[in-house]
Amino acid sequence: MSNDGSPESATRNGARLSVRWARWIFQRMARLALPASLHEEYGEEMRSAFATMAARAWETGGTLGVLRVLVLACMDLVRRAPAERDARRHAAGWPAPERGSAMTTAVRTLVHEARLAARSLAKRPAFTFVAAATLALGIGANVAIFTVVDSVLIRPLPYPRSDELVTIQHHAPGINLPTVENSAGTIELYKRFGRAFQELGAYTVDAQNLTGDIVPVRVQVLHVTPSLLHVLGVRAALGRVFAADDSAAGAPPVAMLTYTAWQSNFGGSRDVVGRRVHLNGVSTEIVGILPEHFVFPQRPKVHLILPLSIDQKDGFGAFGTRVIARLAPGADVAAAQREATALQPRITELFPDVTPDLLKRIGWSASVTSLRDAVVGDARTTLWVVMGAVGFLLLVACASVANLFLVRAEGRTRDVGVRLALGASARDIAAMHLSESLLLATVGGAWGLVVAYVAVHAIVAAGPANLPRLEDVRIDTTVIAFTVLVSVAAGVLFGVLPMRLRLRQPMSGLLSDGRGRTAGRDRQRLRKGMIVAQIALALMLLTGSGMLLRSFIRLRAADPGIEPQDAAAIGVSLGENPALASDPAGRTAEHAKQAIVYQRIMREVGQLPGVRAVGATNALPLDPEAMNGASLRIRSRPQADSAIPRVAMYVGVAGDYLQAIGTRVLRGRALDWSDVDHARPVALVNRTFEHQFLNDNALGEQIRFGDDSTWLTIVGIAEDVHTISIRNDVTPLAYLPITASVHGLHIATMQIVVRTSGEAASVVPTVRNAVRSAYPEVPITSARTMESVVDASMADTSFTVAILTIAAVVSLLLGAIGLYGVIGYVVTQRTREFGIRIALGAAPHAVRRMVLRQGLVLAGIGIVLGLAGAAAVTRSLRSLLYGVTTTDPVSFVVGSVVLVTVAAIAAYLPALRASAVSPSRALSEE
Amino acid sequence: MPPRTRIERFLPLKPAALHILLALAEAPRHGYAIRGVVETRTDGDVRLWPATLYGTIRELKRGGLIEDAPAAAAPGDDSRRRYYQLTALGRQVLAAETERLRRLVRLAQRTYAASQG
């Protein structure tokens, strides 16, 4: 049709969509219920007939009509299934049955029970829908989070015998280095003396320019010891892996490509092995391709690996190397940890200038962590907290459904009594109820899987920055098994409680009176217990999410040291001339040339309307990956060679960077273009730097980073800015002109920061276009508002807050509905009593108060239990909190107040009904 | 003519089977059309949902009461649709079932009339 976009075609699309969905579900159900042979013969006709029915239904009843057809057709499936599989037909003269019908009695009974259960549930569609939807929500949330937990925490890392893999790290709190990796010295230590480690692999991280007969690119590079590939159990998909002599001094340069780099940069051509490429200008032979699904732990985005050699001569002090080791047979992480701790003093044997006293002073220690724990890192706490939260949500959902069942049981006591009287055994009755709840749980689980599917995609799309292994997240058989398990557990949980109660009742009571007075009271007590449990769980979630919410607000309110509003950062890359890698003088000249280009770009940007200040940096705050650190020398305070050097971070800046980012100079002066133009040996340091290293008096002092850089004179002190994250303490930081001759200063990619007079987001495209049109050859690597940079640094907290808040709100709602249901039921039961009271002169408000009080007593008990539970549970949140304690009174009080309010509303509605009872009607009712 | 016992072992017919045979008595039809005819004739009281419809069709075919009809597809008809028609046996079974029901109804009416005085 040509009238696309018209309301008519939109309607048609709606029809097509809902019909397609219905057909899909029907097809799945049919495949489940009916024998395969029927499908082969009639499957397609059946589907097409169903689709026609659904389409007709859409015309008259819309989506609801389609839904109705779907439900009826599925019920027909269930009804028909036993007949299709029934062997008795054979005896009746009908054709011989086929293999599908030779079912064991047990299965037939099961189908029979399921059919009865389906019929009974279908009789009360509202009840069934509400119960199944509640379960779907609870199960879906659990399955979604479990999918993430399973992929991130549970599934083993994709290496052979990955449980034997560990990492070794070190700590030196005495010099403000909470965690350092390894140096040639520590590696030598473990290699030479370690018995718990079978083999040690090491790697360092780098980025290099890849040229040759391909499009030049900057690639992520790992330098790996050949042993690392062995430790990780990697084989080459093509060509060979590194051999031990590839890393020997003077060996011809070789490299391996990762599968993705092979595909994307070399078009996956097989003759790439043996080809030569240029890496930072060095001609290198590609000797192999890594397997398709292989990723390095914590380094999923590597393009290329080079052999690394570790030389003890490199000494003890340069901690840039990461270690992955395979444990020796029989050794576990604890044993390896014990051994590593015991080995540390022997460093002094290998390096005589490292004294035991020095190790003691800096608080030196080693820690061995299983590789999986290292990869998962902080995400563990987040995920278990979230899993706990959705677990509570499921409990609340089960309590809700159990309550619904109890309500329903009120209407069915007589039915059960009749069955018992007719000779049904207690087991039959139990089977009946259990099959109903299991069927309901199955339906809830199936919907829950759909909920989970959507939720998992949302989570992966949102990609909380601190979740590792997100590329592994998917719904697989483990998850399906989990869903089945959770559904069955939920079904048993909410099915068994009401059932136990019913079996205890004497049969006469069931038959004599539909209400069953004593039994009714028991049931009421149980229902009230459920409500109390729901309220307690809801309060626990409310309190927890309250604490996280308050942490989040505090984090947001915390001063990052910059003003992210009205600022944006645009990444531009001039690349690096690889030929200059080992030519310091040439590099300095190159940086000077690049500085001129950056300056031109920034001038251009500065003239755009709405731009108030422009600066540039090679590393933005709160973006820890980009930060560079190095050992620091202070001219006036020389250290002995044996001392562990001081460490500080540095960034290269240009233009009005401090102004653009929104911080200020406390004393001295800022850096300006003339410092860059003349490559003046000057630096600005932050307040923490001055305080920590120079007794709050840094002006005029001289510092340098690394031993082969020039001395820089401190000309100004800048206000502190959080560099790693807002949670972390401010670290010592120096700002250098981008032309400063400091060995590790890379300015191939710079972030141009603009401060705008209006909305930053609206200026970003203008800036981008201006750069693109003036310098079409300069690639723009990113364009973000500074607010989004700050947001990204809090992604872990916002993810947890979001999930916990949703869980809390949903369980609050379920709790409120439950309370409303129970109090409402009590009111119905006591209508007569209320009528008499009112007839005898009781004021309506007194009746109202009486009912309200009943609801609030329940809520009160729930709140007391919930507070106790919350106090016990919120401790697990500690590492996620910021500026809020785990006993935060505000969260406890606000959570309780919210619950009391909601409970009061939930109880007030039935109370209103109670006070409006007309005495004459109430009394004439029986 | 097949022996009576061969016909009788199909009786009584299940409601769905009876309705399908009745719908096919006058003309070959495809599955969805059978459903439409049954629904119209019973004023919407009987609706054959897919599982019952095709399950019963298969049963009837296996029993030899109906068979595939030569393609008589009207233009624009879905080619996937198969048409079914009654076999001779099917007609006899339908006749026998109708006779059985007639007797049953007569019995019921007589007895009911007697009880009403």
Side-chain angles (χ1 to χ4, degrees):
Chain A
M1 286 272 164
S2 58
N3 56 345
D4 271 352
S6 69
E8 267 175 54
S9 84
T11 314
R12 237 188 327 276
N13 285 338
R16 214 174 300 147
L17 193 70
S18 58
V19 168
R20 203 185 309 149
W21 260 94
R23 194 178 57 178
W24 186 82
I25 296 173
F26 174 75
Q27 191 179 334
R28 295 293 123 131
M29 294 287 291
R31 193 143 287 166
L32 268 179
L34 303 176
S37 61
L38 187 63
H39 281 283
E40 279 155 28
E41 262 189 287
Y42 294 101
E44 205 165 358
E45 268 187 272
M46 216 185 293
R47 271 197 302 285
S48 114
F50 176 78
T52 319
M53 290 172 204
R56 295 267 158 84
W58 201 90
E59 277 162 29
T60 51
T63 307
L64 268 179
V66 175
L67 213 60
R68 206 176 139 267
V69 164
L70 177 64
V71 169
L72 288 172
C74 286
M75 279 164 50
D76 175 60
L77 274 176
V78 175
R79 261 200 309 270
R80 181 71 196 175
E84 275 313 317
R85 296 166 181 268
D86 198 341
R88 274 168 303 181
R89 206 142 286 265
H90 181 49
W94 291 84
E98 42 189 317
R99 54 185 169 81
S101 12
M103 283 198 303
T104 62
T105 327
V107 176
R108 198 178 305 140
T109 314
L110 207 66
V111 169
H112 177 70
E113 287 294 345
R115 197 169 50 155
L116 285 182
R119 197 181 294 162
S120 145
L121 288 176
K123 260 189 254 163
R124 286 180 177 69
F127 160 81
T128 307
F129 178 79
V130 171
T134 306
L135 284 171
L137 212 62
I139 294 174
N142 273 271
V143 171
I145 298 303
F146 176 78
T147 307
V148 179
V149 166
D150 175 53
S151 315
V152 177
L153 298 183
I154 299 175
R155 213 181 293 155
L157 295 173
Y159 312 108
R161 288 173 291 127
S162 62
D163 52 329
E164 295 172 2
L165 299 177
V166 294
T167 63
I168 310 173
Q169 290 179 313
H170 302 87
H171 312 285
I175 48 166
N176 202 21
L177 286 177
T179 308
V180 289
E181 298 292 339
N182 288 265
S183 66
T186 62
I187 292 172
E188 183 64 21
L189 178 73
Y190 301 119
K191 261 194 185 154
R192 194 177 296 181
F193 303 119
R195 296 283 162 270
F197 308 106
Q198 191 180 101
E199 192 173 13
L200 241 78
Y203 68 93
T204 59
V205 184
D206 191 11
Q208 298 197 352
N209 284 20
L210 174 65
T211 52
D213 45 357
I214 56 161
V215 184
V217 272
R218 192 156 181 81
V219 289
Q220 298 299 313
V221 173
L222 287 190
H223 299 266
V224 306
T225 59
S227 59
L228 180 71
L229 299 179
H230 194 248
V231 166
L232 294 178
V234 195
R235 283 165 211 276
L238 211 64
R240 63 173 179 92
V241 295
F242 296 145
D245 42 346
D246 282 331
S247 62
V254 293
M256 287 184 76
L257 291 175
T258 57
Y259 193 88
T260 36
W262 179 44
Q263 293 296 326
S264 57
N265 300 99
F266 294 88
S269 89
R270 296 183 71 84
D271 62 1
V272 77
V273 173
R275 241 159 88 179
R276 290 194 162 271
V277 292
H278 291 271
L279 275 168
N280 276 5
V282 179
S283 169
T284 307
E285 184 190 347
I286 295 172
V287 294
I289 312 288
L290 291 165
E292 181 172 2
H293 295 294
F294 178 78
V295 282
F296 281 97
Q298 296 169 296
R299 301 282 155 190
K301 290 190 181 124
V302 169
H303 296 92
L304 195 135
I305 59 172
L306 300 172
L308 169 73
S309 72
I310 303 286
D311 191 345
Q312 194 193 337
K313 284 203 296 294
D314 293 343
F316 177 62
F319 295 97
T321 312
R322 292 168 180 262
V323 162
I324 297 172
R326 190 171 279 281
L327 292 174
D332 59 9
V333 177
Q337 172 69 63
R338 277 195 302 278
E339 188 187 83
T341 305
L343 283 180
Q344 295 312 311
R346 302 184 75 168
I347 291 173
T348 55
E349 286 176 34
L350 293 174
F351 300 93
D353 52 348
V354 178
T355 62
D357 177 55
L358 175 73
L359 289 181
K360 200 171 153 196
R361 226 176 41 239
I362 64 176
W364 183 258
S365 66
S367 68
V368 179
T369 322
S370 82
L371 183 59
R372 181 156 62 180
D373 288 351
V375 168
V376 168
D378 298 339
R380 177 177 300 273
T381 322
T382 309
L383 282 178
W384 284 126
V385 164
V386 167
M387 188 83 223
V390 294
F392 280 157
L393 177 61
L394 182 61
L395 285 181
V396 173
C398 282
S400 292
V401 177
N403 246 333
L404 285 173
F405 260 89
L406 284 167
V407 177
R408 202 157 101 84
E410 307 290 344
R412 295 180 77 194
T413 30
R414 217 191 286 251
D415 165 44
V416 170
V418 170
R419 277 167 200 254
L420 286 173
L422 290 177
S425 69
R427 265 185 59 191
D428 292 339
I429 302 291
M432 178 180 92
H433 289 295
L434 201 57
S435 54
E436 266 176 40
S437 46
L438 283 178
L439 186 70
L440 198 59
T442 310
V443 175
W447 291 4
L449 210 53
V450 176
V451 172
Y453 183 79
V454 174
V456 163
H457 276 252
I459 291 174
V460 172
N466 70 326
L467 277 190
R469 303 180 74 188
L470 266 186
E471 69 276 6
D472 289 348
V473 172
R474 63 180 175 270
I475 291 182
D476 61 5
T477 41
T478 320
V479 173
I480 307 275
F482 177 79
T483 314
V484 172
L485 196 78
V486 167
S487 306
V488 169
V492 170
L493 190 65
F494 68 74
V496 160
L497 273 175
M499 189 174 80
R500 280 183 60 82
L501 195 83
R502 191 159 312 112
L503 292 181
R504 282 213 318 264
Q505 296 168 18
M507 206 207 296
S508 57
L510 293 172
L511 275 176
S512 64
D513 180 354
R515 289 211 189 120
R517 296 202 192 288
T518 40
R521 209 172 300 144
D522 255 7
R523 209 149 32 223
Q524 271 316 99
R525 203 175 301 140
L526 188 61
R527 288 190 61 187
K528 286 175 182 168
M530 297 277 189
I531 292 298
V532 168
Q534 280 189 49
I535 288 173
L537 288 168
L539 181 59
M540 287 161 79
L541 281 171
L542 268 181
T543 315
S545 68
M547 284 177 187
L548 280 171
L549 208 57
R550 270 166 55 76
S551 293
F552 191 59
I553 293 168
R554 292 239 163 146
L555 261 183
R556 297 229 59 130
D559 180 12
I562 59 171
E563 286 165 25
Q565 306 83 5
D566 307 329
I570 289 91
V572 294
S573 177
L574 296 183
E576 201 167 53
N577 185 348
L580 302 173
S582 50
D583 171 11
R587 252 170 66 100
T588 309
E590 169 88 358
H591 281 189
K593 267 189 251 162
Q594 291 190 333
I596 293 171
V597 181
Y598 285 127
Q599 190 169 2
R600 277 200 214 122
I601 296 175
M602 287 159 70
R603 291 250 157 88
E604 196 97 21
V605 170
Q607 277 157 15
L608 294 173
V611 173
R612 275 166 42 205
V614 187
T617 177
N618 65 344
L620 284 175
L622 303 177
D623 193 3
E625 285 289 311
M627 284 288 158
N628 226 332
S631 63
L632 169 77
R633 304 270 173 193
I634 300 173
R635 198 161 213 177
S636 62
R637 295 161 201 229
Q639 285 179 297
D641 279 351
S642 61
I644 298 283
R646 307 176 178 102
V647 174
M649 309 233 232
Y650 59 86
V651 296
V653 297
D656 299 325
Y657 173 67
L658 293 187
Q659 198 195 335
I661 203 81
T663 184
R664 63 199 177 98
V665 177
L666 294 173
R667 278 176 292 123
R669 67 173 180 89
L671 300 178
D672 57 27
W673 276 116
S674 76
D675 295 318
V676 173
D677 291 343
H678 301 107
R680 282 202 196 109
V682 291
L684 217 68
V685 297
N686 69 357
R687 199 211 307 238
T688 301
F689 187 110
E690 180 183 41
H691 181 73
Q692 198 163 319
F693 299 127
L694 291 159
N695 289 343
D696 297 322
N697 187 13
L699 280 181
E701 293 277 352
Q702 289 193 307
I703 56 172
R704 78 175 176 193
F705 291 94
D707 290 339
D708 44 1
S709 302
T710 43
W711 287 103
L712 307 167
T713 306
I714 297 173
V715 296
I717 315 299
E719 184 58 276
D720 278 342
V721 168
H722 282 270
T723 39
I724 309 287
S725 83
I726 294 175
R727 277 171 203 282
N728 286 70
D729 291 336
V730 175
T731 48
L733 177 73
Y735 299 94
L736 320 176
I738 52 175
T739 45
S741 162
V742 169
H743 183 64
L745 183 64
H746 294 281
I747 62 166
T749 300
M750 294 287 286
Q751 299 287 333
I752 295 182
V753 180
V754 292
R755 179 146 298 276
T756 59
S757 47
E759 184 72 9
S762 61
V763 181
V764 168
T766 325
V767 174
R768 196 163 39 185
N769 290 341
V771 174
R772 190 164 287 158
S773 60
Y775 298 90
E777 75 287 358
V778 174
I780 293 173
T781 56
S782 62
R784 311 171 272 182
T785 62
M786 280 310 293
E787 280 180 323
S788 72
V789 173
V790 174
D791 284 349
S793 77
M794 299 178 194
D796 54 343
T797 314
S798 48
F799 172 67
T800 327
V801 166
I803 303 256
L804 242 71
T805 309
I806 293 170
V809 168
V810 173
S811 46
L812 184 65
L813 265 178
L814 291 177
I817 293 169
L819 188 67
Y820 171 82
V822 166
I823 302 296
Y825 181 75
V826 168
V827 167
T828 315
Q829 291 283 287
R830 293 170 65 186
T831 305
R832 210 175 137 90
E833 178 201 326
F834 291 140
I836 295 172
R837 277 173 193 267
I838 292 170
L840 290 180
H845 69 83
V847 171
R848 228 163 19 227
R849 207 180 312 139
M850 203 172 69
V851 175
L852 197 59
R853 198 188 314 132
Q854 205 170 8
L856 288 180
V857 164
L858 286 183
I861 301 171
I863 285 170
V864 169
L865 291 177
L867 286 176
V873 167
T874 48
R875 251 178 303 163
S876 63
L877 294 176
R878 184 177 298 139
S879 70
L880 297 173
L881 298 182
Y882 174 83
V884 176
T885 62
T886 55
T887 53
D888 179 40
V890 177
S891 301
F892 280 91
V893 170
V894 171
S896 314
V897 169
V898 168
L899 252 180
V900 168
T901 315
V902 171
I905 295 170
Y908 189 70
L909 297 175
L912 268 185
R913 198 146 50 85
S915 64
V917 167
S918 128
S920 56
R921 173 126 34 95
L923 292 175
S924 64
E925 236 173 32
E926 291 221 2
Chain B
M1 178 157 182
R4 263 200 92 61
T5 50
R6 186 165 166 213
I7 293 168
E8 266 163 6
R9 64 183 187 172
F10 289 108
L11 304 183
L13 283 172
K14 292 199 151 199
L18 175 62
H19 281 297
I20 291 173
L21 292 183
L22 282 173
L24 293 178
E26 46 193 29
R29 297 183 204 278
H30 58 73
Y32 188 75
I34 296 174
R35 177 186 147 94
V37 168
V38 172
E39 197 176 337
T40 320
R41 282 189 189 158
T42 61
D43 292 325
D45 280 348
V46 178
R47 285 197 185 143
L48 297 171
W49 296 98
T52 300
L53 179 61
Y54 288 99
T56 310
I57 285 179
R58 176 168 81 154
E59 233 170 43
L60 293 173
K61 240 174 100 176
R62 289 256 176 86
L65 305 191
I66 63 174
E67 62 191 352
D68 285 352
D77 236 5
D78 195 334
S79 62
R80 277 174 305 187
R81 281 174 178 171
R82 271 182 289 176
Y83 281 72
Y84 307 99
Q85 63 189 16
L86 290 188
T87 59
L89 174 65
R91 261 179 217 291
Q92 287 158 358
V93 169
L94 184 57
E97 175 71 351
T98 312
E99 178 56 30
R100 188 185 68 84
L101 287 173
R102 192 183 357 250
R103 264 185 265 149
L104 194 65
V105 170
R106 209 182 300 140
L107 170 71
Q109 279 171 336
R110 258 208 316 269
T111 321
Y112 182 67
S115 75
Q116 293 289 300

